[in-house]
Structure formats: C-alpha cells, structure tokens
Amino acid sequence: MAEWSVLFMGPVGAGKTTAIHTLSDIEVVHTEARATDATRHLKATTTVSMDVGVLHLPGNDKLRLYGAPGQDRFDFMWDILLEQAKAAIVLVNHAAPHPERDLALYMRNIAERLGQRPLPLVVGVTHADRQPDRPLSIYDDCLIPPPHVPAHSRVPLLQLDARDRAQVRALLMAAVGLLEQSRTATA
C-alpha cells in the first residue's frame, strides 16, 4: 500500500477547494473563513490554513489531497505543505485579469521554496470557458520547469472544470504518473 500527498496550489478563486471536494472520498476538512480583504470581492469565504481530503486508489493506495491558501498573507503554509508533498498541482484561473502572471508567480515561489528538492508538478487551467478567446499558449513561458523538476522537459498543462470529477482526476493522475516516473528513476 502506498500513501502519497499531493498539494493543490494557486491564486484565490482558481478552484483548489472545489477540486479537492470533487475528488475526496471523505468529507473534506477545510479552514474556510469569511473573506475580509480584497478577496471578499471575488468570493465570500477563503481558505486560511489548508483543505484536506483523501482519494482511495486501487490496491489500497491512498492519495492525501491538500489545498494551500491562495492569499499571499498565508504563504507561510506553502512551506509547511510543500515539505510534505510528493507532487504538486498549480491551478490557475484563466478568467483572471493576468493569469499568466499568476502562474509565473507560483512557479517562481515553488522553485525558490524547494531549492534542489525534486517535486513532480502539473498545471491545471480552470474557468477557460469564461475567456474562450484567450489562448492557452499564454502559459508557455511558465511551463519550463526549474532544474530540479524530474523527468520531463515541460510542466504538463491541462484544462479542466474543477467541479468535474473525471477532469480533476485526469489532472491528478498526470501528477501521480510523474511521481511514479520519478520514483522509478531514483530506485
């Protein structure tokens, strides 16, 4: 039986909490609080510590799903959660004013926090239906992995609806595939 932790990161409103609720086989433990800063213009509540869910896989394997808060003022949680993560998924809201800047910021922060520690990484683009004329190619410059990201030349990017279990699962399985690939390469 294998048990891995996968971390969902991204800006406020990208769909991290929704994705974890969509996948989890248990009731999600979440730390939602009423938004009191600029976030309140985007949504009523926000994650202030983390979300936690579990997805059971065949063969008694288990994925622990963690969601990091999207607000910069809670970024101390990123260090704690990244330390435990075996893979990471960065969600970006395609309908945000400058989603490519959001993704670049997260990619840079992850690289700085990890140092030389390898971590399989996948990017999920949500809310693309709200900006159908905006091409996904705006993220191309952000998908060049830092030197320590294992076994692939570009960070995989998938478009998804965070409410659709099959789409979120496909994103998660892409991350798990990279995790298994990196574990095989180091064994």
Side-chain angles (χ1 to χ4, degrees):
M1 177 176 91
E3 187 172 312
W4 300 314
S5 299
V6 178
L7 177 60
F8 286 76
M9 298 181 74
V12 172
K16 302 173 300 289
T17 298
T18 301
I20 291 171
H21 276 273
T22 298
L23 282 177
S24 185
D25 292 329
I26 67 166
E27 187 169 335
V28 173
V29 176
H30 57 88
T31 56
E32 291 287 306
R34 188 171 56 88
T36 58
D37 58 7
T39 302
R40 74 181 181 277
H41 300 295
L42 299 171
K43 57 189 216 168
T45 63
T46 190
T47 301
V48 296
S49 178
M50 73 178 103
D51 297 316
V52 181
V54 171
L55 178 64
H56 298 283
L57 299 174
N60 291 326
D61 292 341
K62 183 189 306 185
L63 293 177
R64 294 198 180 276
L65 311 170
Y66 292 95
Q71 296 180 51
D72 291 344
R73 66 183 172 141
F74 299 120
D75 70 350
F76 64 91
M77 288 300 301
W78 302 354
D79 295 315
I80 296 166
L81 296 169
L82 277 167
E83 187 175 316
Q84 301 302 315
K86 299 298 181 200
I89 294 171
V90 178
L91 295 182
V92 62
N93 178 350
H94 196 63
H98 299 285
E100 71 283 1
R101 292 182 196 167
D102 294 338
L103 180 56
L105 174 71
Y106 274 85
M107 297 296 279
R108 191 170 44 256
N109 272 299
I110 290 169
E112 289 170 1
R113 283 170 158 78
L114 289 176
Q116 293 302 307
R117 181 179 154 232
L119 184 74
L121 184 62
V122 176
V123 172
V125 176
T126 61
H127 306 295
D129 57 323
R130 295 184 191 165
Q131 287 287 343
D133 295 334
R134 183 182 281 170
L136 293 179
S137 62
I138 65 169
Y139 304 110
D140 286 352
D141 290 342
C142 302
L143 300 177
I144 299 166
H148 58 274
V149 172
H152 53 282
S153 59
R154 280 175 53 94
V155 173
L157 179 138
L158 288 85
Q159 183 178 322
L160 72 143
D161 180 334
R163 300 165 298 183
D164 185 301
R165 185 173 174 90
Q167 291 180 26
V168 180
R169 189 175 173 95
L171 180 73
L172 184 64
M173 290 302 108
V176 169
L178 292 175
L179 174 59
E180 289 175 342
Q181 189 177 44
S182 69
R183 291 171 54 93
T184 302
T186 59

